[in-house]
Amino acid sequence: MLVIGNLTIDDVVLSDGAVRMGSPGGNAVYAVLAARLWNPAAGIVTRRGDDLPPGILDELERLGVDTSGVRAVPGPTVRNWVVYEEDGRRHWIYRTPRERSLEVAVRPEDIPGEWLGDDPPPVVHVAAMPLTAAAALVDHVRGRAPGALVTLDTHEDWAGETEAVLDLAARVDVFLPSREELAELAGYDDPARAASWLRGRGVPAVVVKRGAGGALVDTGEGPPVEVPAVPAAVADVTGAGDTFCGATAAALAAGLPLLEAVRRGAATASWAIAEFGSLALAGLDPVSALR
Ligand code: ADP
C-alpha cells in the first residue's frame, strides 16, 4: 500500500533554547510508519529538498518502508521548529512559508507506476495535502488503477473550500475528517447527522476523528457506529490523526472490513501517543529534552 503526503524536518527547540536538528516529520512519515506496522509492503510518495539530513531515508528503509517514491527537488525541505508542552502537545514557532509547501506538494508523476497496477488493486492513502494537489493525485490513481481503494485525510488549509472538498471526498472510498472539519463542511456539529449528510452528498464512507472521544464510522449500512478511543497515558499527541489514518488504511489493505480497520487505527494511535515518538526519532531522550 502507498501513503502519499508531505515530509518535513522538525527541529525540536529545547527548554534552554538550544535547537536539536532534524527529526523526520510530516503526515506521510507518521502515516507510513503506522501502515508499516501492519503491512510489510508499505511505501511512501513524498518530495524532499536537497537539505534532508543524511540518514532519514535510510532509517525509513531500515524500518521496511519502500522509499522509491521519494523525489528530490531543488531547494529546502519543509522545515518546522517545534516546542513541546508538558501535556504532550506541541507548537510550531517557525514554519516554512506556505508557498514552499505548495511547491513541494506531491504530483501525480511522482508516483512510481509499478504501485498502480490492478493486480491486486492497491490501497492508496492520500494524507493531508493542499487541495488541488490531493485532487490531482486522486484522479491520477483512479485513472491508472480503477480498482484502487483510496482513503483521504483532510488538511487545515481546506477550510472555506466546502464545495471542492465535498467534490473530492465523493471521489474516494473512505473520507476521514476531524469532528471540527466535518462540522464546518456540513454546517452542524452533530457528527452522526453531519456524516449522514456527507453520505447524502455522495461520500461512500465517512470516518470522523474525535480525539479522545474516539471515532464514528458511517458506511450507510445501518446506523453510524462509534469506535471508542483506546485510553492512553498521553506523552506526545503529535501525529495521532496521521497514525490513525495510516493504520486504518493498512488494515484495509490487509482485507479487514472498515469497522475492524478503524478499531486497529484507534489502537495504533493510542499506542503511538503514549510514546515520545517524534522526540525518539530525533534521537532525543524525552525526559531531558523537556526539562
Ligand atoms: P487529528 O490529529 O486528525 O485531529 P484526532 O486527534 O481526532 O486526529 O485523533 C485521531 C484518533 O487518535 C482518535 O480517533 C483516537 O482514536 C486517537 N486518539 C487521539 N487522541 C487520543 C487520546 N488522548 N487518547 C486516546 N486516543 C486518542
Side-chain angles (χ1 to χ4, degrees):
M1 67 160 294
L2 263 195
V3 171
I4 306 177
N6 70 39
L7 166 76
T8 61
I9 303 171
D10 291 347
D11 299 325
V12 181
V13 182
L14 306 181
S15 47
D16 63 2
V19 178
R20 281 294 293 266
M21 310 296 271
S23 69
N27 52 47
V29 171
Y30 294 111
V32 80
L33 288 174
R36 175 62 189 88
L37 277 176
W38 304 109
N39 189 318
I44 184 171
V45 184
T46 192
R47 287 187 164 206
R48 49 158 293 199
D50 42 31
D51 61 345
L52 195 74
I56 286 187
L57 293 181
D58 294 346
E59 182 64 6
L60 285 176
E61 268 172 22
R62 194 187 64 77
L63 293 167
V65 174
D66 183 322
T67 61
S68 59
V70 179
R71 305 291 175 214
V73 290
T77 303
V78 172
R79 188 153 211 137
N80 303 309
W81 281 22
V82 298
V83 176
Y84 275 87
E85 303 291 326
E86 294 277 325
D87 64 359
R89 307 213 164 262
R90 65 186 205 166
H91 305 287
W92 282 267
I93 57 172
Y94 167 77
R95 302 182 82 164
T96 294
R98 192 162 168 270
E99 296 69 44
R100 179 66 183 157
S101 304
L102 290 174
E103 231 170 67
V104 296
V106 182
R107 301 195 186 152
E109 62 270 24
D110 296 341
I111 306 175
E114 59 269 25
W115 280 103
L116 297 181
D118 241 355
D119 184 26
V123 169
V124 178
H125 175 57
V126 179
M129 299 281 293
L131 190 52
T132 48
L137 289 161
V138 167
D139 290 346
H140 179 79
V141 170
R142 284 271 176 252
R144 289 293 172 88
L149 194 155
V150 182
T151 57
L152 176 69
D153 194 3
T154 47
H155 189 285
E156 61 203 18
D157 281 0
W158 297 2
E161 303 274 2
T162 305
E163 283 308 314
V165 173
L166 289 173
D167 190 50
L168 177 59
R171 305 205 302 275
V172 303
D173 297 285
V174 183
F175 179 52
L176 301 113
S178 70
R179 177 184 182 145
E180 298 73 26
E181 289 157 343
L182 177 66
E184 198 202 299
L185 286 171
Y188 32 79
D189 189 28
D190 172 345
R193 213 175 128 218
S196 149
W197 180 85
L198 229 68
R199 293 203 57 269
R201 292 287 310 251
V203 183
V206 183
V207 176
V208 191
K209 293 171 291 181
R210 300 187 304 173
L216 184 103
V217 181
D218 186 348
T219 61
E221 289 168 22
V225 179
E226 306 250 0
V227 174
V230 177
V234 178
D236 174 3
V237 292
T238 311
D242 304 322
T243 302
F244 173 87
C245 291
T248 299
L252 289 171
L256 294 189
L258 182 59
L259 207 53
E260 285 304 314
V262 169
R263 290 198 178 102
R264 192 174 279 189
T268 312
S270 166
W271 171 77
I273 63 182
E275 299 284 336
F276 284 97
S278 45
L279 288 177
L281 283 170
L284 290 169
D285 162 26
V287 177
S288 55
L290 294 175
R291 209 176 269 144

